[in-house]
């Protein structure tokens, strides 16, 4: 097998279900191409990494409000179009199941299994008041320099 | 065509056919042939591009009743 060190990076900025699914499908595809893949989660994209259950952490008022208003985890994300207060999200999940497409939690698991590096942006974690304990296990924490380090060597760099 | 292993990826949606193909080919020895069955309409272009990029050889492919079959020799 040819060992190449091709790299792919994706910045997931958006916190919507459809965009997160697109990011993870591309990431899993790139991993199947033997690329070293990094997804860098910043701003609303961080919500895709949140644990379903509420973590016990100390927060200020603003941070608590932010945490309450943002979707907690991949199962809670809404669609970027036609969400209709969550109905759209339910519908697309139903359709995806019908077409045998993997759900977002399954895509995330598969990405981890394939060695995709999931990186949470620490600066925006601070802004949104998200703490390490609230995000899923098996991820890394870094800033823009670490992302650029990966992106500089990569031929595929996407911002979603 | 003879194959050393058959991967049934029928009914699987993108990106699973490629992900499974990658896993299956990793279990083969160099020179062995993997046979892939898929129903995803993008499979033809996907597997052709994947084989080209990863260095494996797409020996042959065909389509019958909506089932795409591929024979890939591991590099």
């Amino acid at each position: 097998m040819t060992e190449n060190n091709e790299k792919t990076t994706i910045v997931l900025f958006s916190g919507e279900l459809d965009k997160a699914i697109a990011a993870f499908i591309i990431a899993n595809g790139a991993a199947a191409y033997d690329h070293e893949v990094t997804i860098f989660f910043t701003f609303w994209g961080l919500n895709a990494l949140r644990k379903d259950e509420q973590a016990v952490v100390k927060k200020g008022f603003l941070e608590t409000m932010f945490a309450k208003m943002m979707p907690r985890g991949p199962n809670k994300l809404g669609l970027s179009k036609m969400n209709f207060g969550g109905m759209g999200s339910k519908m697309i999940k139903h359709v995806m199941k019908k077409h045998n497409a993997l759900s977002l939690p399954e895509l995330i698991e598969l990405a981890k299994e394939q060695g995709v590096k999931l990186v949470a942006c620490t600066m925006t974690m601070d802004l949104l008041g998200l703490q390490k304990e609230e995000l899923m296990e098996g991820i890394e924490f870094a800033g823009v320099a670490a992302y650029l380090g990966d992106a500089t060597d990569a031929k595929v760099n996407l911002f979603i | 065509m003879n194959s050393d292993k058959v991967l049934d990826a029928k009914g699987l949606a993108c990106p699973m056919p490629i992900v499974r193909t990658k896993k299956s080919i990793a279990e083969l020895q160099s020179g062995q042939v993997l046979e892939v069955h898929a129903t995803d309409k993008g499979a033809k272009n996907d597997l052709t591009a994947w084989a080209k990029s990863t260095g494996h050889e797409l020996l042959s492919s065909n389509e019958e009743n909506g089932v795409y079959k591929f024979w890939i020799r591991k590099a």
Side-chain angles (χ1 to χ4, degrees):
Chain A
M1 191 141 148
T2 48
E3 273 306 323
N4 52 11
N5 275 324
E6 297 279 358
K7 287 188 180 180
T8 291
T9 77
I10 298 168
V11 176
L12 183 60
F13 174 92
S14 312
E16 285 104 0
L17 178 68
D18 39 3
K19 296 188 183 185
I21 287 171
F24 273 95
I25 288 181
I26 297 168
N28 277 306
Y33 260 78
D34 279 329
H35 290 194
E36 284 175 34
V37 188
T38 302
I39 310 180
F40 188 72
F41 298 82
T42 185
F43 271 95
W44 317 114
L46 286 168
N47 288 315
L49 295 179
R50 290 176 79 186
K51 288 176 186 162
D52 290 330
E53 74 276 15
Q54 201 156 5
V56 196
V57 284
K58 260 199 150 158
K59 284 191 187 200
F61 175 72
L62 267 178
E63 284 79 11
T64 309
M65 288 309 289
F66 255 94
K68 278 210 161 69
M69 285 188 293
M70 296 188 301
R72 194 166 65 216
N75 285 315
K76 300 277 169 60
L77 304 184
L79 283 182
S80 66
K81 297 267 189 320
M82 308 197 299
N83 191 42
F84 306 126
M87 272 306 291
S89 192
K90 282 211 173 74
M91 251 155 59
I92 202 83
K93 283 175 194 166
H94 174 77
V95 173
M96 284 171 69
K97 208 172 214 169
K98 208 173 97 186
H99 287 271
N100 232 342
L102 293 189
S103 68
L104 181 56
E106 287 168 334
L107 283 166
I108 295 174
E109 270 317 300
L110 180 66
K112 284 180 169 174
E113 201 185 299
Q114 292 208 89
V116 172
K117 196 163 81 177
L118 308 179
V119 184
C121 164
T122 48
M123 195 278 275
T124 43
M125 277 173 68
D126 287 345
L127 291 188
L128 301 179
L130 293 172
Q131 301 182 18
K132 285 184 179 181
E133 294 75 18
E134 293 174 90
L135 303 183
M136 62 177 67
E137 312 296 329
I139 64 172
E140 296 179 27
F141 301 91
V144 69
Y147 167 70
L148 288 171
D150 287 332
T152 307
D153 307 330
K155 286 192 192 134
V156 182
N157 296 302
L158 301 174
F159 186 95
I160 299 177
Chain B
M1 188 175 282
N2 288 329
S3 54
D4 298 288
K5 186 176 179 168
V6 179
L7 167 66
D8 182 6
K10 292 197 290 291
L12 298 180
C14 175
M16 288 317 288
I18 280 291
V19 172
R20 290 275 175 84
T21 301
K22 188 222 165 178
K23 278 186 186 163
S24 299
I25 215 142
E27 291 160 8
L28 293 182
Q29 305 290 327
S30 179
Q32 286 188 310
V33 175
L34 175 69
E35 184 176 336
V36 182
H37 299 177
T39 49
D40 176 22
K41 288 178 199 67
K44 178 97 172 57
N45 282 328
D46 273 8
L47 277 159
T48 306
W50 178 84
K52 194 174 166 215
S53 168
T54 49
H56 306 298
E57 189 186 354
L58 182 59
L59 300 170
S60 169
S61 66
N62 66 38
E63 192 238 309
E64 220 173 281
N65 301 323
V67 179
Y68 300 85
K69 293 184 181 175
F70 306 86
W71 288 265
I72 304 168
R73 182 187 284 140
K74 180 168 178 168

